[in-house]
Amino acid sequence: MVSISVMNYLMEIAVISFVIPMVVLLAWRLRTHKNMMPALIGAGIYLLSRLICMMPNTLILGINTPVSKYLNSNPVLLCLYLGIIAAITQQLGRYIAFRFFMKKYPGRDTAVSYGIGHAAIECILVIGWTDLQYYMQAALLNQGTLDKVEGSASLIASLQKLTTGGLVLDALAGAVFFVTQIGLSILVFQAVRNEKLRLRLMLYAMIFHVAAYLPDGLYQQQWISHSMAFILQIFVMASTMFLAVDIFRRMGENEKQIEKEEKKKQAQENAKKWAIASQKLTNLSEKNSSKNEEE
């Protein structure tokens, strides 16, 4: 049996996981008045990266081999492997998207819009949809029909281990990872814009991404508590955002400087055009005066 309080939390967290990402995206749209196409591209790239990850995961984890047995029996190595695969596919996806598909959106707000779209669809699928499935499976278990399904023993054991505290920590960890994904988008966006720092920033993004996966593996291995895993995830998020916020601020300063220079250049061009037009008017006036004197 799964308690009513756990089931209520499952449904509430699922609903929140669907609603909050949309609220964040709408709030960002109202604040910036920017085109939301980068957010849609971010969501699409995330879905594509998930599909790409399925291929190596099926070959390495899905087939019964000594490697798959070893990884599946070692939560730390499993999370490390999943983190590396996700980091490679998602950061390369970000890089390709920023470099080739979003040339029309050169401003720094594009990085945040993309990050929100990426994080929103991830939150909906990983937390919202998963908890909704758990809720339906828990309802079947309480009705006594789930245990009749073949191979449901491990699922039943997982459902019976669910606690309200664990669900809340998982939901908060999802919120932390939401923010981390926005920070990673800023790092990769700057990597596309700055060729000198490209390799370093891409490496930072991948390291932070992998680091965000490790606390969960340490918890599943029972090396640390659930709350400690959450604290480590906050630390990874804070480290990512510390670097990302500084980069975002510098990008803003550079964009203002470029805008200032463009306005200055435009003013000089306008002044030059007015000077040429004034000279032409002066020449025309002199010609008319000469004609009048000759007459």
PDB file of all heavy atoms in Angstrom, residues 89-121:
ATOM      1  N   THR A  89      25.855  15.052 -25.163  1.00  0.00           N
ATOM      2  CA  THR A  89      24.780  15.280 -26.136  1.00  0.00           C
ATOM      3  C   THR A  89      24.119  16.643 -25.945  1.00  0.00           C
ATOM      4  O   THR A  89      23.876  17.365 -26.921  1.00  0.00           O
ATOM      5  CB  THR A  89      23.726  14.170 -26.028  1.00  0.00           C
ATOM      6  OG1 THR A  89      23.246  14.101 -24.666  1.00  0.00           O
ATOM      7  CG2 THR A  89      24.307  12.832 -26.420  1.00  0.00           C
ATOM      8  N   GLN A  90      23.861  17.025 -24.710  1.00  0.00           N
ATOM      9  CA  GLN A  90      23.155  18.288 -24.477  1.00  0.00           C
ATOM     10  C   GLN A  90      24.032  19.499 -24.737  1.00  0.00           C
ATOM     11  O   GLN A  90      23.564  20.498 -25.301  1.00  0.00           O
ATOM     12  CB  GLN A  90      22.610  18.313 -23.044  1.00  0.00           C
ATOM     13  CG  GLN A  90      21.485  17.328 -22.820  1.00  0.00           C
ATOM     14  CD  GLN A  90      20.857  17.431 -21.448  1.00  0.00           C
ATOM     15  OE1 GLN A  90      20.845  18.496 -20.831  1.00  0.00           O
ATOM     16  NE2 GLN A  90      20.323  16.334 -20.945  1.00  0.00           N
ATOM     17  N   GLN A  91      25.308  19.447 -24.345  1.00  0.00           N
ATOM     18  CA  GLN A  91      26.172  20.610 -24.584  1.00  0.00           C
ATOM     19  C   GLN A  91      26.503  20.756 -26.066  1.00  0.00           C
ATOM     20  O   GLN A  91      26.546  21.880 -26.588  1.00  0.00           O
ATOM     21  CB  GLN A  91      27.463  20.510 -23.765  1.00  0.00           C
ATOM     22  CG  GLN A  91      27.285  20.339 -22.269  1.00  0.00           C
ATOM     23  CD  GLN A  91      26.108  21.077 -21.675  1.00  0.00           C
ATOM     24  OE1 GLN A  91      25.840  22.236 -21.990  1.00  0.00           O
ATOM     25  NE2 GLN A  91      25.376  20.402 -20.798  1.00  0.00           N
ATOM     26  N   LEU A  92      26.708  19.651 -26.753  1.00  0.00           N
ATOM     27  CA  LEU A  92      26.912  19.735 -28.201  1.00  0.00           C
ATOM     28  C   LEU A  92      25.640  20.208 -28.888  1.00  0.00           C
ATOM     29  O   LEU A  92      25.698  20.967 -29.868  1.00  0.00           O
ATOM     30  CB  LEU A  92      27.347  18.377 -28.754  1.00  0.00           C
ATOM     31  CG  LEU A  92      28.768  17.927 -28.401  1.00  0.00           C
ATOM     32  CD1 LEU A  92      29.063  16.562 -29.007  1.00  0.00           C
ATOM     33  CD2 LEU A  92      29.807  18.945 -28.870  1.00  0.00           C
ATOM     34  N   GLY A  93      24.488  19.772 -28.379  1.00  0.00           N
ATOM     35  CA  GLY A  93      23.220  20.254 -28.927  1.00  0.00           C
ATOM     36  C   GLY A  93      23.075  21.751 -28.746  1.00  0.00           C
ATOM     37  O   GLY A  93      22.638  22.466 -29.656  1.00  0.00           O
ATOM     38  N   ARG A  94      23.419  22.238 -27.559  1.00  0.00           N
ATOM     39  CA  ARG A  94      23.385  23.682 -27.309  1.00  0.00           C
ATOM     40  C   ARG A  94      24.318  24.409 -28.283  1.00  0.00           C
ATOM     41  O   ARG A  94      23.954  25.439 -28.866  1.00  0.00           O
ATOM     42  CB  ARG A  94      23.826  23.977 -25.877  1.00  0.00           C
ATOM     43  CG  ARG A  94      22.776  23.757 -24.816  1.00  0.00           C
ATOM     44  CD  ARG A  94      23.316  24.201 -23.470  1.00  0.00           C
ATOM     45  NE  ARG A  94      22.293  24.203 -22.430  1.00  0.00           N
ATOM     46  CZ  ARG A  94      22.094  23.220 -21.578  1.00  0.00           C
ATOM     47  NH1 ARG A  94      22.870  22.139 -21.622  1.00  0.00           N
ATOM     48  NH2 ARG A  94      21.145  23.290 -20.665  1.00  0.00           N
ATOM     49  N   TYR A  95      25.525  23.898 -28.423  1.00  0.00           N
ATOM     50  CA  TYR A  95      26.522  24.563 -29.268  1.00  0.00           C
ATOM     51  C   TYR A  95      26.024  24.654 -30.713  1.00  0.00           C
ATOM     52  O   TYR A  95      26.107  25.720 -31.343  1.00  0.00           O
ATOM     53  CB  TYR A  95      27.833  23.781 -29.212  1.00  0.00           C
ATOM     54  CG  TYR A  95      28.938  24.391 -30.030  1.00  0.00           C
ATOM     55  CD1 TYR A  95      29.737  25.401 -29.495  1.00  0.00           C
ATOM     56  CD2 TYR A  95      29.178  23.987 -31.338  1.00  0.00           C
ATOM     57  CE1 TYR A  95      30.743  25.983 -30.254  1.00  0.00           C
ATOM     58  CE2 TYR A  95      30.178  24.559 -32.096  1.00  0.00           C
ATOM     59  CZ  TYR A  95      30.962  25.551 -31.552  1.00  0.00           C
ATOM     60  OH  TYR A  95      31.947  26.121 -32.308  1.00  0.00           O
ATOM     61  N   ILE A  96      25.504  23.540 -31.235  1.00  0.00           N
ATOM     62  CA  ILE A  96      25.008  23.531 -32.618  1.00  0.00           C
ATOM     63  C   ILE A  96      23.825  24.486 -32.767  1.00  0.00           C
ATOM     64  O   ILE A  96      23.715  25.226 -33.753  1.00  0.00           O
ATOM     65  CB  ILE A  96      24.613  22.096 -33.023  1.00  0.00           C
ATOM     66  CG1 ILE A  96      25.863  21.213 -33.099  1.00  0.00           C
ATOM     67  CG2 ILE A  96      23.880  22.095 -34.366  1.00  0.00           C
ATOM     68  CD1 ILE A  96      25.564  19.740 -33.279  1.00  0.00           C
ATOM     69  N   ALA A  97      22.935  24.488 -31.782  1.00  0.00           N
ATOM     70  CA  ALA A  97      21.755  25.360 -31.850  1.00  0.00           C
ATOM     71  C   ALA A  97      22.159  26.831 -31.853  1.00  0.00           C
ATOM     72  O   ALA A  97      21.672  27.621 -32.672  1.00  0.00           O
ATOM     73  CB  ALA A  97      20.829  25.060 -30.672  1.00  0.00           C
ATOM     74  N   PHE A  98      23.048  27.229 -30.937  1.00  0.00           N
ATOM     75  CA  PHE A  98      23.461  28.633 -30.852  1.00  0.00           C
ATOM     76  C   PHE A  98      24.238  29.065 -32.092  1.00  0.00           C
ATOM     77  O   PHE A  98      24.096  30.197 -32.545  1.00  0.00           O
ATOM     78  CB  PHE A  98      24.315  28.857 -29.607  1.00  0.00           C
ATOM     79  CG  PHE A  98      23.549  28.846 -28.319  1.00  0.00           C
ATOM     80  CD1 PHE A  98      24.029  28.193 -27.196  1.00  0.00           C
ATOM     81  CD2 PHE A  98      22.327  29.489 -28.221  1.00  0.00           C
ATOM     82  CE1 PHE A  98      23.318  28.181 -26.008  1.00  0.00           C
ATOM     83  CE2 PHE A  98      21.602  29.486 -27.037  1.00  0.00           C
ATOM     84  CZ  PHE A  98      22.104  28.829 -25.922  1.00  0.00           C
ATOM     85  N   ARG A  99      25.052  28.172 -32.610  1.00  0.00           N
ATOM     86  CA  ARG A  99      25.929  28.563 -33.714  1.00  0.00           C
ATOM     87  C   ARG A  99      25.225  28.585 -35.066  1.00  0.00           C
ATOM     88  O   ARG A  99      25.517  29.448 -35.903  1.00  0.00           O
ATOM     89  CB  ARG A  99      27.128  27.624 -33.793  1.00  0.00           C
ATOM     90  CG  ARG A  99      28.116  28.016 -34.873  1.00  0.00           C
ATOM     91  CD  ARG A  99      29.465  27.394 -34.683  1.00  0.00           C
ATOM     92  NE  ARG A  99      30.428  27.910 -35.648  1.00  0.00           N
ATOM     93  CZ  ARG A  99      31.703  27.540 -35.688  1.00  0.00           C
ATOM     94  NH1 ARG A  99      32.168  26.644 -34.814  1.00  0.00           N
ATOM     95  NH2 ARG A  99      32.509  28.043 -36.584  1.00  0.00           N
ATOM     96  N   PHE A 100      24.283  27.664 -35.280  1.00  0.00           N
ATOM     97  CA  PHE A 100      23.718  27.532 -36.621  1.00  0.00           C
ATOM     98  C   PHE A 100      22.235  27.882 -36.710  1.00  0.00           C
ATOM     99  O   PHE A 100      21.773  28.295 -37.773  1.00  0.00           O
ATOM    100  CB  PHE A 100      23.919  26.090 -37.125  1.00  0.00           C
ATOM    101  CG  PHE A 100      25.357  25.678 -37.224  1.00  0.00           C
ATOM    102  CD1 PHE A 100      25.909  24.803 -36.310  1.00  0.00           C
ATOM    103  CD2 PHE A 100      26.172  26.182 -38.237  1.00  0.00           C
ATOM    104  CE1 PHE A 100      27.236  24.418 -36.391  1.00  0.00           C
ATOM    105  CE2 PHE A 100      27.501  25.799 -38.328  1.00  0.00           C
ATOM    106  CZ  PHE A 100      28.033  24.922 -37.399  1.00  0.00           C
ATOM    107  N   PHE A 101      21.477  27.731 -35.641  1.00  0.00           N
ATOM    108  CA  PHE A 101      20.029  27.901 -35.732  1.00  0.00           C
ATOM    109  C   PHE A 101      19.514  29.191 -35.097  1.00  0.00           C
ATOM    110  O   PHE A 101      18.327  29.490 -35.215  1.00  0.00           O
ATOM    111  CB  PHE A 101      19.313  26.712 -35.087  1.00  0.00           C
ATOM    112  CG  PHE A 101      19.621  25.404 -35.742  1.00  0.00           C
ATOM    113  CD1 PHE A 101      19.955  24.291 -34.981  1.00  0.00           C
ATOM    114  CD2 PHE A 101      19.597  25.283 -37.118  1.00  0.00           C
ATOM    115  CE1 PHE A 101      20.245  23.077 -35.577  1.00  0.00           C
ATOM    116  CE2 PHE A 101      19.888  24.081 -37.724  1.00  0.00           C
ATOM    117  CZ  PHE A 101      20.208  22.969 -36.961  1.00  0.00           C
ATOM    118  N   MET A 102      20.379  29.929 -34.403  1.00  0.00           N
ATOM    119  CA  MET A 102      19.903  31.127 -33.714  1.00  0.00           C
ATOM    120  C   MET A 102      20.756  32.348 -34.027  1.00  0.00           C
ATOM    121  O   MET A 102      20.991  33.187 -33.167  1.00  0.00           O
ATOM    122  CB  MET A 102      19.824  30.867 -32.204  1.00  0.00           C
ATOM    123  CG  MET A 102      18.667  29.986 -31.827  1.00  0.00           C
ATOM    124  SD  MET A 102      18.427  29.807 -30.046  1.00  0.00           S
ATOM    125  CE  MET A 102      19.644  28.548 -29.706  1.00  0.00           C
ATOM    126  N   LYS A 103      21.204  32.443 -35.264  1.00  0.00           N
ATOM    127  CA  LYS A 103      21.981  33.607 -35.667  1.00  0.00           C
ATOM    128  C   LYS A 103      21.133  34.872 -35.673  1.00  0.00           C
ATOM    129  O   LYS A 103      21.663  35.986 -35.568  1.00  0.00           O
ATOM    130  CB  LYS A 103      22.591  33.373 -37.048  1.00  0.00           C
ATOM    131  CG  LYS A 103      23.654  32.286 -37.076  1.00  0.00           C
ATOM    132  CD  LYS A 103      24.240  32.131 -38.468  1.00  0.00           C
ATOM    133  CE  LYS A 103      25.332  31.080 -38.483  1.00  0.00           C
ATOM    134  NZ  LYS A 103      25.924  30.906 -39.836  1.00  0.00           N
ATOM    135  N   LYS A 104      19.806  34.694 -35.798  1.00  0.00           N
ATOM    136  CA  LYS A 104      18.912  35.854 -35.795  1.00  0.00           C
ATOM    137  C   LYS A 104      18.722  36.442 -34.399  1.00  0.00           C
ATOM    138  O   LYS A 104      18.143  37.504 -34.258  1.00  0.00           O
ATOM    139  CB  LYS A 104      17.547  35.459 -36.368  1.00  0.00           C
ATOM    140  CG  LYS A 104      17.569  35.071 -37.843  1.00  0.00           C
ATOM    141  CD  LYS A 104      16.165  34.723 -38.305  1.00  0.00           C
ATOM    142  CE  LYS A 104      16.142  34.347 -39.779  1.00  0.00           C
ATOM    143  NZ  LYS A 104      14.779  33.991 -40.238  1.00  0.00           N
ATOM    144  N   TYR A 105      19.191  35.711 -33.385  1.00  0.00           N
ATOM    145  CA  TYR A 105      18.993  36.145 -32.005  1.00  0.00           C
ATOM    146  C   TYR A 105      20.346  36.250 -31.303  1.00  0.00           C
ATOM    147  O   TYR A 105      20.705  35.386 -30.494  1.00  0.00           O
ATOM    148  CB  TYR A 105      18.091  35.157 -31.268  1.00  0.00           C
ATOM    149  CG  TYR A 105      16.860  34.770 -32.053  1.00  0.00           C
ATOM    150  CD1 TYR A 105      16.772  33.541 -32.700  1.00  0.00           C
ATOM    151  CD2 TYR A 105      15.787  35.646 -32.170  1.00  0.00           C
ATOM    152  CE1 TYR A 105      15.650  33.194 -33.430  1.00  0.00           C
ATOM    153  CE2 TYR A 105      14.660  35.311 -32.890  1.00  0.00           C
ATOM    154  CZ  TYR A 105      14.595  34.078 -33.530  1.00  0.00           C
ATOM    155  OH  TYR A 105      13.481  33.743 -34.260  1.00  0.00           O
ATOM    156  N   PRO A 106      21.124  37.299 -31.621  1.00  0.00           N
ATOM    157  CA  PRO A 106      22.487  37.397 -31.090  1.00  0.00           C
ATOM    158  C   PRO A 106      22.588  37.904 -29.648  1.00  0.00           C
ATOM    159  O   PRO A 106      23.650  37.819 -29.038  1.00  0.00           O
ATOM    160  CB  PRO A 106      23.145  38.389 -32.051  1.00  0.00           C
ATOM    161  CG  PRO A 106      22.020  39.278 -32.494  1.00  0.00           C
ATOM    162  CD  PRO A 106      20.808  38.401 -32.549  1.00  0.00           C
ATOM    163  N   GLY A 107      21.502  38.456 -29.105  1.00  0.00           N
ATOM    164  CA  GLY A 107      21.556  39.044 -27.770  1.00  0.00           C
ATOM    165  C   GLY A 107      21.714  38.001 -26.673  1.00  0.00           C
ATOM    166  O   GLY A 107      21.368  36.830 -26.837  1.00  0.00           O
ATOM    167  N   ARG A 108      22.201  38.448 -25.540  1.00  0.00           N
ATOM    168  CA  ARG A 108      22.455  37.538 -24.418  1.00  0.00           C
ATOM    169  C   ARG A 108      21.182  36.925 -23.856  1.00  0.00           C
ATOM    170  O   ARG A 108      21.216  35.842 -23.266  1.00  0.00           O
ATOM    171  CB  ARG A 108      23.204  38.271 -23.310  1.00  0.00           C
ATOM    172  CG  ARG A 108      22.423  39.418 -22.688  1.00  0.00           C
ATOM    173  CD  ARG A 108      23.141  40.027 -21.519  1.00  0.00           C
ATOM    174  NE  ARG A 108      22.349  41.093 -20.895  1.00  0.00           N
ATOM    175  CZ  ARG A 108      22.561  41.576 -19.695  1.00  0.00           C
ATOM    176  NH1 ARG A 108      23.553  41.101 -18.961  1.00  0.00           N
ATOM    177  NH2 ARG A 108      21.808  42.536 -19.204  1.00  0.00           N
ATOM    178  N   ASP A 109      20.035  37.587 -24.028  1.00  0.00           N
ATOM    179  CA  ASP A 109      18.772  37.034 -23.555  1.00  0.00           C
ATOM    180  C   ASP A 109      18.443  35.708 -24.234  1.00  0.00           C
ATOM    181  O   ASP A 109      17.677  34.903 -23.695  1.00  0.00           O
ATOM    182  CB  ASP A 109      17.629  38.023 -23.791  1.00  0.00           C
ATOM    183  CG  ASP A 109      17.748  39.263 -22.921  1.00  0.00           C
ATOM    184  OD1 ASP A 109      18.420  39.172 -21.880  1.00  0.00           O
ATOM    185  OD2 ASP A 109      17.179  40.304 -23.276  1.00  0.00           O
ATOM    186  N   THR A 110      19.031  35.481 -25.413  1.00  0.00           N
ATOM    187  CA  THR A 110      18.808  34.226 -26.121  1.00  0.00           C
ATOM    188  C   THR A 110      19.261  33.040 -25.289  1.00  0.00           C
ATOM    189  O   THR A 110      18.605  31.984 -25.280  1.00  0.00           O
ATOM    190  CB  THR A 110      19.572  34.236 -27.465  1.00  0.00           C
ATOM    191  OG1 THR A 110      19.055  35.297 -28.278  1.00  0.00           O
ATOM    192  CG2 THR A 110      19.414  32.920 -28.205  1.00  0.00           C
ATOM    193  N   ALA A 111      20.380  33.189 -24.576  1.00  0.00           N
ATOM    194  CA  ALA A 111      20.901  32.093 -23.751  1.00  0.00           C
ATOM    195  C   ALA A 111      19.919  31.717 -22.662  1.00  0.00           C
ATOM    196  O   ALA A 111      19.677  30.529 -22.401  1.00  0.00           O
ATOM    197  CB  ALA A 111      22.249  32.498 -23.148  1.00  0.00           C
ATOM    198  N   VAL A 112      19.324  32.718 -22.018  1.00  0.00           N
ATOM    199  CA  VAL A 112      18.366  32.450 -20.946  1.00  0.00           C
ATOM    200  C   VAL A 112      17.083  31.843 -21.511  1.00  0.00           C
ATOM    201  O   VAL A 112      16.528  30.892 -20.941  1.00  0.00           O
ATOM    202  CB  VAL A 112      18.057  33.736 -20.157  1.00  0.00           C
ATOM    203  CG1 VAL A 112      17.035  33.467 -19.064  1.00  0.00           C
ATOM    204  CG2 VAL A 112      19.330  34.299 -19.545  1.00  0.00           C
ATOM    205  N   SER A 113      16.608  32.379 -22.626  1.00  0.00           N
ATOM    206  CA  SER A 113      15.390  31.839 -23.245  1.00  0.00           C
ATOM    207  C   SER A 113      15.576  30.376 -23.615  1.00  0.00           C
ATOM    208  O   SER A 113      14.704  29.532 -23.355  1.00  0.00           O
ATOM    209  CB  SER A 113      15.028  32.655 -24.494  1.00  0.00           C
ATOM    210  OG  SER A 113      14.751  33.992 -24.158  1.00  0.00           O
ATOM    211  N   TYR A 114      16.724  30.074 -24.221  1.00  0.00           N
ATOM    212  CA  TYR A 114      17.022  28.688 -24.576  1.00  0.00           C
ATOM    213  C   TYR A 114      17.070  27.823 -23.317  1.00  0.00           C
ATOM    214  O   TYR A 114      16.501  26.732 -23.277  1.00  0.00           O
ATOM    215  CB  TYR A 114      18.361  28.612 -25.308  1.00  0.00           C
ATOM    216  CG  TYR A 114      18.771  27.201 -25.688  1.00  0.00           C
ATOM    217  CD1 TYR A 114      18.584  26.743 -26.986  1.00  0.00           C
ATOM    218  CD2 TYR A 114      19.339  26.333 -24.766  1.00  0.00           C
ATOM    219  CE1 TYR A 114      18.947  25.454 -27.350  1.00  0.00           C
ATOM    220  CE2 TYR A 114      19.699  25.046 -25.102  1.00  0.00           C
ATOM    221  CZ  TYR A 114      19.512  24.613 -26.398  1.00  0.00           C
ATOM    222  OH  TYR A 114      19.863  23.339 -26.745  1.00  0.00           O
ATOM    223  N   GLY A 115      17.755  28.310 -22.297  1.00  0.00           N
ATOM    224  CA  GLY A 115      17.881  27.544 -21.058  1.00  0.00           C
ATOM    225  C   GLY A 115      16.540  27.262 -20.411  1.00  0.00           C
ATOM    226  O   GLY A 115      16.302  26.161 -19.901  1.00  0.00           O
ATOM    227  N   ILE A 116      15.634  28.243 -20.428  1.00  0.00           N
ATOM    228  CA  ILE A 116      14.306  28.040 -19.843  1.00  0.00           C
ATOM    229  C   ILE A 116      13.539  26.981 -20.629  1.00  0.00           C
ATOM    230  O   ILE A 116      12.895  26.098 -20.051  1.00  0.00           O
ATOM    231  CB  ILE A 116      13.531  29.359 -19.798  1.00  0.00           C
ATOM    232  CG1 ILE A 116      14.181  30.327 -18.806  1.00  0.00           C
ATOM    233  CG2 ILE A 116      12.072  29.115 -19.406  1.00  0.00           C
ATOM    234  CD1 ILE A 116      13.559  31.710 -18.793  1.00  0.00           C
ATOM    235  N   GLY A 117      13.597  27.070 -21.958  1.00  0.00           N
ATOM    236  CA  GLY A 117      12.911  26.067 -22.783  1.00  0.00           C
ATOM    237  C   GLY A 117      13.452  24.671 -22.549  1.00  0.00           C
ATOM    238  O   GLY A 117      12.689  23.703 -22.419  1.00  0.00           O
ATOM    239  N   HIS A 118      14.776  24.562 -22.496  1.00  0.00           N
ATOM    240  CA  HIS A 118      15.443  23.281 -22.248  1.00  0.00           C
ATOM    241  C   HIS A 118      15.050  22.728 -20.881  1.00  0.00           C
ATOM    242  O   HIS A 118      14.654  21.562 -20.737  1.00  0.00           O
ATOM    243  CB  HIS A 118      16.958  23.492 -22.326  1.00  0.00           C
ATOM    244  CG  HIS A 118      17.763  22.258 -22.130  1.00  0.00           C
ATOM    245  ND1 HIS A 118      18.569  21.741 -23.110  1.00  0.00           N
ATOM    246  CD2 HIS A 118      17.901  21.424 -21.062  1.00  0.00           C
ATOM    247  CE1 HIS A 118      19.166  20.646 -22.652  1.00  0.00           C
ATOM    248  NE2 HIS A 118      18.779  20.439 -21.405  1.00  0.00           N
ATOM    249  N   ALA A 119      15.157  23.576 -19.847  1.00  0.00           N
ATOM    250  CA  ALA A 119      14.865  23.137 -18.487  1.00  0.00           C
ATOM    251  C   ALA A 119      13.378  22.847 -18.288  1.00  0.00           C
ATOM    252  O   ALA A 119      13.007  21.951 -17.521  1.00  0.00           O
ATOM    253  CB  ALA A 119      15.331  24.201 -17.495  1.00  0.00           C
ATOM    254  N   ALA A 120      12.519  23.600 -18.978  1.00  0.00           N
ATOM    255  CA  ALA A 120      11.077  23.426 -18.807  1.00  0.00           C
ATOM    256  C   ALA A 120      10.619  22.050 -19.277  1.00  0.00           C
ATOM    257  O   ALA A 120       9.902  21.344 -18.558  1.00  0.00           O
ATOM    258  CB  ALA A 120      10.326  24.518 -19.565  1.00  0.00           C
ATOM    259  N   ILE A 121      11.039  21.656 -20.475  1.00  0.00           N
ATOM    260  CA  ILE A 121      10.608  20.357 -20.990  1.00  0.00           C
ATOM    261  C   ILE A 121      11.228  19.232 -20.178  1.00  0.00           C
ATOM    262  O   ILE A 121      10.603  18.180 -19.960  1.00  0.00           O
ATOM    263  CB  ILE A 121      10.956  20.229 -22.494  1.00  0.00           C
ATOM    264  CG1 ILE A 121      10.247  19.031 -23.106  1.00  0.00           C
ATOM    265  CG2 ILE A 121      12.436  20.153 -22.705  1.00  0.00           C
ATOM    266  CD1 ILE A 121       8.746  19.160 -23.153  1.00  0.00           C
TER     267      ILE A 121
END
